[in-house]
Amino acid sequence: MNIILFGPPGAGKGTQAKYLVEKLKGFQISTGDILRDEIKKDTDLGKQIINNMNDGKFVSDEIVNTIIKKFIFDPQKKNKLIFDGYPRSLDQAKNLDNLLNDSEQKIDFVFYLNVNKETIVKRLEKRKLLEKRTDDNLDTILKRYDTYMETTKPVLDFYSKKNNFHEIDGSENITEITRKIDTFVNV
Ligand code: AMP
């Protein structure tokens, strides 16, 4: 089963992705984590993306599209992909469709965790204290939310027409969101 968790930063995608990974013995594909790791290891790619990341801007489609390709074509991960934070633009969504087609896979569910700005700000400020992420200051949080809303509207339109799309109230607590996801992912 392949699943996309979609929603603004702080919506709880990562938490639910970890739950689904355990439940489905799947693999979490978090482009945010992968990119942060590149920065931490100070790789060439890390140097290229650090400014965008710290400014709350998106990294280019070309970079993230290249990153996810190897996960999709990894036979061990086939039909066990839990996407967290990808796709985030229409170009990425179309690229994902093509890669899945080429590898004879499909998306089974798209869960859109919908949360308003105030809830996001509260949650991300809390996470900043816990995880000390450099891109979690209030200014960056607000930029990330706005960038997200601007860029992802076409992605939302792209997926919301499909019948595997489910909108879930992401302002609910973790257990309630998991319960709702479980009503669809009943394996
Ligand atoms: P996240 O941890 O998913 O909130 O991502 C943190 C940051 O990584 C974002 O603010 C972007 O700068 C970058 N990023 C993560 N995923 C993507 C993506 N799919 N497309 C572009 N940039 C991304």
Side-chain angles (χ1 to χ4, degrees):
M1 194 174 281
N2 295 320
I3 296 176
I4 294 176
L5 290 159
F6 187 67
K13 301 185 296 292
T15 306
Q16 299 303 328
K18 287 188 176 69
Y19 168 76
L20 287 168
V21 161
E22 205 161 293
K23 174 173 173 144
L24 303 170
K25 306 276 171 283
F27 296 88
Q28 180 182 3
I29 318 293
S30 161
T31 39
D33 283 349
I34 298 165
L35 295 169
R36 271 186 292 279
D37 203 44
E38 294 286 334
I39 292 178
K40 211 160 91 191
K41 289 186 187 142
D42 200 24
T43 62
D44 286 345
L45 179 59
K47 289 189 181 91
Q48 220 178 307
I49 60 176
I50 189 164
N51 289 339
N52 269 9
M53 292 269 294
N54 284 343
D55 279 354
K57 291 186 194 138
F58 278 9
V59 170
S60 76
D61 288 334
E62 201 189 336
I63 290 176
V64 281
N65 285 345
T66 307
I67 285 177
I68 63 135
K69 195 169 174 180
K70 69 168 188 286
F71 294 101
I72 294 172
F73 283 93
D74 180 344
Q76 258 197 312
K77 299 187 173 63
K78 189 170 181 178
N79 286 318
K80 292 178 180 174
L81 303 164
I82 315 293
F83 293 97
D84 158 18
Y86 183 94
R88 260 168 149 111
S89 69
L90 195 54
D91 181 88
Q92 293 177 21
K94 288 182 176 166
N95 176 69
L96 179 61
D97 257 13
N98 290 337
L99 293 176
L100 289 172
N101 254 331
D102 293 349
S103 59
E104 295 177 329
Q105 299 182 75
K106 65 175 173 61
I107 291 296
D108 295 279
F109 294 106
V110 179
F111 294 116
Y112 173 42
L113 306 185
N114 193 3
V115 198
N116 64 34
K117 200 169 182 170
E118 286 132 55
T119 311
I120 298 283
V121 169
K122 271 191 219 140
R123 278 188 191 168
L124 291 188
E125 286 209 300
K126 209 154 128 196
R127 181 164 83 187
K128 182 182 150 196
L129 296 174
L130 295 173
E131 296 179 13
K132 298 197 177 68
R133 271 173 53 163
T134 56
D135 59 348
D136 267 357
N137 67 61
L138 186 59
D139 207 32
T140 311
I141 291 169
L142 295 176
K143 271 194 207 143
R144 280 166 68 207
Y145 186 87
D146 292 339
T147 310
Y148 184 86
M149 286 305 178
E150 276 161 33
T151 327
T152 54
K153 179 78 177 66
V155 188
L156 197 56
D157 295 341
F158 179 81
Y159 285 119
S160 59
K161 291 189 201 101
K162 307 190 182 205
N163 55 14
N164 61 3
F165 176 91
H166 303 283
E167 180 168 341
I168 291 175
D169 181 0
S171 62
E172 306 244 39
N173 64 44
I174 293 172
T175 325
E176 183 54 18
I177 297 173
T178 305
R179 193 192 63 77
K180 285 190 178 150
I181 289 177
D182 267 343
T183 61
F184 299 102
V185 187
N186 49 359
V187 288

